[in-house]
Amino acid sequence: MSNGLNYLVGKVGMELNPRPLRPYDPLVCDFLSQLSVALFADSQARRYPDVMSFAFWCRKANLATLKDNFSSEHLRLGVGYAFHIAPSNVPINFAFSYAFSLLAGNCNVVRVSSKDFAQTEIVCRLITGLLEKPLYGRIAEMTAFVRYGHDDEITGHFSSGCNARIIWGGDATISSIRRVPAPSRSVEMAFADRYSFCIVSTTAILNANESELNKLAKAFYNDVYLMDQDACSSPHLIVWMGDADLKAAQHKFWHRVYEEVVSNYDLQPVNAIDKYTMICEKAIELDCVVGLERNGNFIYRLQMNGLPDKVDICRGRYGLFYELKVTNLNVMARLVGTKFQTLTYFGFDKAFFCDFVVQNNLLGIDRIVPIGSALDIGVIWDGYDIVSTLSRVIDIQ
């Protein structure tokens, strides 16, 4: 095999045990809950909000809730051995991918990002510590974390016997990995590049009191600025709808968001330049751009009088948004394709969105969640029930 393969958890030549467990096996749930405890207790881990989010997700109480909600009238076992290719731009994603598959009952080899994220070192260090305990010997046989560069030979090695392959990344990455064969019975889950947007009610904003508005601004900040809009679930397009005064609603909302951003966000000069360059490029490229509003150098808002057929080219980073006023959300329906992942909202109820999705027979939008929940990854993601997909049904009659 080619050089450049490093084991962060496990070691070269280790023999994994692909014999599957049942979903939400008690030993697996106990292991993950102890990992949660270890992460909360670690001073380095506490420096990273995304690591704390993972620790909060895999705490004992949440795993018990997920287990209770996992219903199957059939006997299920994991599919066996799962090979994961984690994304390069979301540091903690590799840990979620591992946990989801482990809960499904599988042994796992996880290729982590080649970028040297501190979060990767922290989580792998604490997992290694737990796996050294005899109690978790079975989990140790089911766990390896590796790092290597782009190398089809190594990818082919780990893909050759997998029962499931989970690929996180851009469209080019997924196409590249798919050129490497996997067994014909292998389950493949591809979490590709997606597009997300947000809808806000003008009436709800103008009716919001100070406390509600502060909470909303913080929630919006978390959706957008924690990942610099790099996460596939972070919104780029802000759609306003309602009969109330648009300008007044925009001023009230963005002024409070600006206060939140100024207090918490470190805008690097190079990123500010990138954002300004992006604005210029989009203003030239898109005929439907009719103006620009801004709140200091932290929030730039391109005003739109329509949208291009390929809406997903309307992307921002570091606080660049596209704003559109609509009288009916159904005008978005013809534009919603399979690229669309998350719709975040404020001021609407679930029934409104059920009608929107069903009546328009939408091909895209897999998540509709309140503002503040865009980054809340879970076992239901990108339209997949991950634990069910990574486990198999044994039909006994």
Side-chain angles (χ1 to χ4, degrees):
M1 190 182 301
S2 304
N3 293 324
L5 173 63
N6 294 304
Y7 277 72
L8 283 71
V9 177
K11 57 186 178 183
V12 176
M14 68 180 291
E15 290 194 12
L16 291 165
N17 183 349
R19 297 289 178 183
L21 302 175
R22 296 187 69 171
Y24 293 98
D25 183 275
L27 181 64
V28 170
C29 292
D30 178 64
F31 169 74
L32 290 175
S33 67
Q34 290 304 307
L35 177 59
S36 171
V37 171
L39 288 166
F40 278 123
D42 190 89
S43 59
Q44 281 187 297
R46 290 198 298 271
R47 297 176 186 171
Y48 297 92
D50 54 348
V51 176
M52 289 296 93
S53 293
F54 175 66
F56 186 75
W57 178 85
C58 64
R59 72 195 190 284
K60 185 176 182 180
N62 188 51
L63 296 177
T65 300
L66 292 174
K67 185 175 183 179
D68 289 343
N69 293 339
F70 181 77
S71 61
S72 175
E73 60 185 17
H74 301 288
L75 175 64
R76 279 182 174 272
L77 284 172
V79 294
Y81 155 50
F83 175 44
H84 308 241
I85 295 98
S88 62
N89 62 336
V90 185
I92 200 61
N93 188 285
F94 78 99
F96 279 105
S97 192
Y98 166 70
F100 296 158
S101 182
L102 193 62
L103 284 172
N106 300 312
C107 89
N108 302 278
V109 172
V110 182
R111 176 196 172 191
V112 304
S113 170
S114 57
K115 295 178 181 175
D116 194 19
F117 293 122
Q119 294 95 320
T120 305
E121 184 279 325
I122 293 166
V123 173
C124 288
R125 170 171 54 81
L126 294 175
I127 286 178
T128 297
L130 286 173
L131 294 182
E132 289 174 351
K133 297 182 177 181
L135 173 62
Y136 300 123
R138 180 71 166 94
I139 307 296
E141 295 173 351
M142 303 167 69
T143 301
F145 288 80
V146 299
R147 174 179 281 151
Y148 62 90
H150 297 291
D151 190 312
D152 287 350
E153 184 181 357
I154 300 177
T155 299
H157 169 74
F158 288 124
S159 297
S160 62
C162 71
N163 304 103
R165 189 162 64 175
I166 301 101
I167 311 169
W168 303 78
D171 295 352
T173 296
I174 290 171
S175 296
S176 174
I177 296 295
R178 280 179 167 166
R179 286 197 292 269
V180 179
S184 55
R185 277 276 296 165
S186 177
V187 175
E188 184 164 285
M189 300 176 69
F191 297 95
D193 185 31
R194 305 297 297 277
Y195 184 79
S196 296
F197 71 110
C198 176
I199 180 169
V200 182
S201 162
T202 55
T203 305
I205 290 293
L206 293 180
N207 289 338
N209 60 35
E210 287 296 303
S211 174
E212 292 168 335
L213 202 59
N214 286 338
K215 183 179 178 182
L216 177 66
K218 186 174 184 61
F220 185 82
Y221 172 88
N222 290 339
D223 283 353
V224 173
Y225 287 89
L226 290 184
M227 296 292 299
D228 285 330
Q229 292 177 275
D230 273 349
C232 58
S233 53
S234 292
H236 303 271
L237 168 68
I238 312 300
V239 176
W240 291 89
M241 199 173 97
D243 297 326
D245 186 328
L246 173 63
K247 288 293 184 185
Q250 286 175 316
H251 176 76
K252 186 176 180 181
F253 174 72
W254 287 115
H255 178 68
R256 194 54 55 90
V257 172
Y258 174 71
E259 291 180 336
E260 186 70 25
V261 176
V262 168
S263 300
N264 297 289
Y265 188 63
D266 182 18
L267 179 62
Q268 296 296 311
V270 65
N271 294 341
I273 293 171
D274 284 349
K275 180 164 64 173
Y276 185 76
T277 303
M278 205 178 310
I279 291 166
C280 296
E281 290 174 349
K282 291 301 179 184
I284 295 170
E285 178 184 355
L286 300 172
D287 294 336
C288 41
V289 172
V290 293
L292 172 68
E293 301 284 346
R294 69 187 184 97
N295 300 75
N297 209 21
F298 290 95
I299 300 171
Y300 281 65
R301 300 145 44 203
L302 286 169
Q303 304 301 300
M304 315 288 284
N305 65 359
L307 292 170
D309 288 341
K310 293 185 177 180
V311 183
D312 62 296
I313 65 173
C314 296
R315 291 177 182 268
R317 295 189 75 190
Y318 318 117
L320 167 60
F321 306 95
Y322 302 77
E323 281 191 290
L324 177 71
K325 171 73 163 58
V326 300
T327 54
N328 190 321
L329 189 56
N330 288 335
V331 300
M332 291 288 299
R334 72 173 183 84
L335 302 172
V336 173
T338 56
K339 278 279 187 184
F340 281 67
Q341 189 213 54
T342 297
L343 168 58
T344 48
Y345 67 88
F346 179 76
F348 300 90
D349 58 31
K350 291 182 181 178
F352 170 77
F353 293 113
C354 286
D355 289 343
F356 171 61
V357 171
V358 174
Q359 298 300 325
N360 289 295
N361 304 104
L362 297 184
L363 289 170
I365 302 181
D366 298 322
R367 302 174 68 229
I368 301 175
V369 296
I371 288 177
S373 299
L375 304 184
D376 293 350
I377 189 172
V379 293
I380 306 295
W381 190 255
D382 255 11
Y384 291 110
D385 179 337
I386 299 177
V387 172
S388 292
T389 304
L390 294 179
S391 59
R392 65 190 176 90
V393 173
I394 299 98
D395 184 20
I396 303 176
Q397 300 184 12

